[in-house]
Each structure stands twice: as C-alpha cells, then as structure tokens.
Amino acid sequence: MTGTPALSQRVLNRTLLERQLLTRRTSRSVLDVIGHLVAMQAQEPNWPYIGLWTRLDGFRHADLTELLQDRSVVRATMVRRTQHLTGAEDFRWLRPTIQPLLDRGARVSYYARETAGLDLAELAEVGRELLADRTLPRRQFSRMLAERYPGRDGRVLGAAVELQVPLAHGPQAGVWGGWGTRSGIPVTVAETWIGRPLTEARVDTLIHRYLAAFGPATVMDVQAWSGLTRLREVVDGMRSRLRVLRDGQGRELFDLPDASLAEADAPVPVRFMPAYDNLLLGHADRTRVISDEDRKRVMPGGALVLPTFLVDGLVHGIWSVQGSTLHISPFRPLSRADREAVLEEAGRLLAFVAPDAAQRDIVFS
C-alpha cells in the first residue's frame, strides 16, 4: 500500500456514477443492465422501472414488464433479505450464494415465536410440497400452512419458508402499476418458475460482479450491499486477481484490475433516483454519494429510503409523485442553472410516470 495514491471522494463519486450507468444513458439491453447491476431492489414494484428509466436511453414500461412475464427476470428475496429483481440466469447462482444470510434470518425472534418447537428444515419441505408445481397467492399459501400447523401464524410461517426455499413471485407482483407494496403476491418454487435448477454458491463471482458495478470498495462495503459477513478471508484469497487501492482515510479499496477510474472533474447530469436504489445502499460508507446529514433525511427510519435526485453527482433532495404532479424538495438552494437542469429532467420523469396525463405539474417545496 505504501506509495499508492489515495482516491479522493470526488473520484470515487464519479467512478460510482459511471459504473452505475448514471453519467450518460446507455443503449444496452434492459436484461444486460439488470445483469450489470447484479440485482435491483424491488420491494415496491414501480421503483425498478424508474431505476431503469434513469439509466437507459428510450426505456419503456413494456421493456421490463415483458421480461417479468417471460420469466427472463425473477423477483424474489435476495441480497440483504429484501425483494430484488435479477436475471433468471444470475438468480441460479446468486440465491445459493446469499442463502447463509437467509438461513440466519429464519432464526431471528420474529420467526422464532411462531416456529418454536418446529424443525425448520421440515417446515421448508412442507412449504415446497404445498407449492409443488403450482403458483399460489401468498395469502392462500399462508392459510394452508396455518391449517397444517394449527395455532400458528401462517403468514410468519410462509415468510420463514420463503427464506429457506427459493421462491419466485409471479409477474403481477412486479409489473408497473399502483405505487406502494402489493397484496396477493403469487409465489412458486423458483426452479419450477425458471425451468432450471439452481447452481452452487459463487462468492467469488458475487464479489467480482459487485466491484464491476460499485467498486472500488472495501470489504465492509461488499458486506453492507450483500448482507453476507466474514468476507475478508474470501477477498484476501482473491487479492492476486484484484487491484488494491486506498481512499483518503487509508482504507483498502479493492477493484477489478482492468476497471477504469473516472476523472474527478468529469461533468455529470442531474439524475432522479428511485426509492431504495442500491446507489445509496451499496456501501457501508455512503458519503461518496450522500452526506451523513442528508442521509438522515433520505432514510428517516422504518426501513424507508426515499426517492432522491442528484446534482453534481450528490444527493441534493427528495421527490415524490401524486397523480401527474411531481413534488421536488431540495435540501439546499439550487443555482439558476441547476434549477433549470432539475426541471428539464423532472419533465422527462413526469412524462414517464404519467404518460397519459392531460396536464402535468412540477412543484418545488
């Protein structure tokens, strides 16, 4: 590490934006972009559409909807025990790689109260048998489990099964529609849904793919994004295949050997980001894209991560949409040029989220 120049926060910021496909919209395919990002957070179904719109040139709602419907993209529980979208081929190795995290999750107190006295492996097998070769609404699946285990909450049992058994959600759960979470999510065994078995865990692949989209990064960053722990030994084993850098605080940063670093003074456009986007959640130290002060406003508690907009590569405020009105709340005053750039990009966003509206409004608050 001696003699290795430290990477500034601005270089890290520009590099992250470039790798997240936010410095210019790309003409790559939707499936290719989802694969590059590894997985897109999707607990509320509309947000991945915004995340793709802000990265892709000419993205249409149908472009993702069709991939969900033909099963090229899977919605399921993945990194950080949350709902994500990923390509079906990536799901085959990603879910087994994340499985240790999910197994630990099935033993936390929320589940333990309802599963006390049960063999979790047996519960998982019962859930797999109940689904067999069919897709069931989650509520029906929960009722069936409650009938099998009287006196226990079937919803909690169903969630415990989903942590242990790779389940895929039917496309109704993830297509563009109303804002917020959705009830009646259909679930089925993932191998049946995608028509191929899952593979072995590939932690090396996970780290390699993460660095391509989020690097340079520390071991703690990889762990924060994935939810996995004890990755130091794995990264050390990959050290000869990685580039080792450091940040301004002297921390080791790992990167792919052929990955380029952005120029600190590279111009970047205004970008509107969806709620929960991994741009903000992909590192333990998130100051390369959001200040600690602003982070408290964007992540106010209750697992919320509000939609944001970037000015000069950093979070500058939050936004929301009500019908055909887009509300923009800057955290600090905008210069005239920045305000015009925000308005221009907001107009594009509003045309995407409310394409059939007779009138669209943008309101600053």
Side-chain angles (χ1 to χ4, degrees):
M1 296 291 292
T2 303
T4 303
L7 299 181
S8 69
Q9 282 289 84
R10 195 166 175 87
V11 166
L12 290 173
N13 169 266
R14 276 4 190 206
T15 301
L16 175 61
L17 295 177
E18 190 170 282
R19 296 193 191 180
Q20 285 286 301
L21 311 177
L22 293 169
T23 56
R24 66 191 66 83
R25 284 185 165 91
T26 180
S27 60
R28 293 162 69 171
S29 72
V30 175
L31 191 57
D32 187 33
V33 167
I34 294 173
H36 173 74
L37 298 173
V38 191
M40 298 189 71
Q41 191 127 353
Q43 63 261 52
E44 293 186 14
N46 283 359
W47 294 121
Y49 285 82
I50 304 298
L52 290 167
W53 168 84
T54 204
R55 292 173 168 95
L56 275 154
D57 185 29
F59 175 73
R60 303 170 304 132
H61 298 90
D63 295 335
L64 176 56
T65 297
E66 290 169 1
L67 293 176
L68 288 163
Q69 291 173 339
D70 70 16
R71 308 186 186 189
S72 299
V73 168
V74 176
R75 183 181 192 265
T77 302
M78 282 177 267
V79 299
R80 298 191 306 279
R81 291 196 349 234
T82 54
Q83 308 303 318
H84 278 69
L85 300 182
T86 195
E89 284 303 308
D90 281 339
F91 182 81
R92 296 178 65 206
W93 64 263
L94 180 57
R95 174 62 190 242
T97 304
I98 296 296
Q99 194 57 50
L101 165 71
L102 306 180
D103 288 339
R104 289 196 303 273
R107 291 171 170 80
V108 301
S109 60
Y110 174 77
Y111 301 102
R113 287 191 295 268
E114 294 298 328
T115 60
L118 298 181
D119 182 312
L120 287 178
E122 179 183 313
L123 172 64
E125 190 56 34
V126 167
R128 187 184 286 272
E129 290 173 359
L130 289 174
L131 288 170
D133 294 329
R134 58 183 173 175
T135 300
L136 295 174
R138 187 181 277 167
R139 286 175 293 192
Q140 183 179 348
F141 180 51
S142 298
R143 285 197 300 269
M144 295 170 73
L145 286 169
E147 291 169 2
R148 182 68 67 93
Y149 298 99
R152 299 177 189 264
D153 189 329
R155 293 171 302 171
V156 177
L157 296 180
V161 169
E162 190 165 357
L163 289 175
Q164 298 178 89
V165 179
L167 301 183
H169 300 168
Q172 307 95 306
V175 298
W176 180 266
W179 296 92
T181 55
R182 233 164 254 179
S183 61
I185 292 174
V187 293
T188 191
V189 177
E191 294 101 321
T192 302
W193 184 253
I194 62 179
R196 293 178 296 283
L198 303 190
T199 67
E200 73 284 350
R202 300 178 185 172
V203 181
D204 284 22
T205 298
L206 177 83
I207 294 168
H208 188 280
R209 294 281 295 277
Y210 168 82
L211 291 176
F214 294 90
T218 66
V219 173
M220 292 298 292
D221 289 330
V222 187
Q223 294 184 164
W225 168 79
S226 66
L228 294 175
T229 57
R230 301 179 181 178
L231 293 182
R232 166 59 67 180
E233 184 176 347
V234 180
V235 174
D236 282 343
M238 299 173 64
R239 189 177 287 266
S240 64
R241 291 176 280 149
L242 298 175
R243 184 182 184 188
V244 182
L245 304 161
R246 65 185 177 93
D247 65 12
Q249 299 180 50
R251 294 175 296 196
E252 273 193 325
L253 299 172
F254 296 92
D255 202 7
L256 303 182
D258 57 350
S260 63
L261 300 173
E263 296 292 332
D265 59 354
V268 293
V270 167
R271 285 288 182 257
F272 279 78
M273 304 305 302
Y276 306 104
D277 195 275
N278 279 323
L279 175 75
L280 272 65
L281 300 175
H283 299 83
D285 180 359
R286 298 164 182 170
T287 56
R288 68 181 68 186
V289 72
I290 184 171
S291 70
D292 289 334
E293 178 184 359
D294 290 345
R295 181 178 171 182
K296 296 173 185 177
R297 299 176 177 180
V298 172
M299 305 173 193
L304 289 175
V305 182
L306 302 176
T308 59
F309 66 93
L310 311 179
V311 174
D312 193 28
L314 296 171
V315 169
H316 198 96
I318 57 177
W319 63 274
S320 63
V321 62
Q322 295 178 325
S324 59
T325 300
L326 186 67
H327 297 269
I328 300 174
S329 301
F331 295 153
R332 290 166 294 283
L334 290 161
S335 69
R336 177 176 295 180
D338 287 340
R339 184 182 177 90
E340 289 177 356
V342 168
L343 277 170
E344 184 176 354
E345 186 68 1
R348 297 190 189 101
L349 173 60
L350 197 49
F352 178 78
V353 300
D356 299 324
Q359 179 177 342
R360 306 184 189 108
D361 295 306
I362 300 172
V363 177
F364 281 88
S365 58

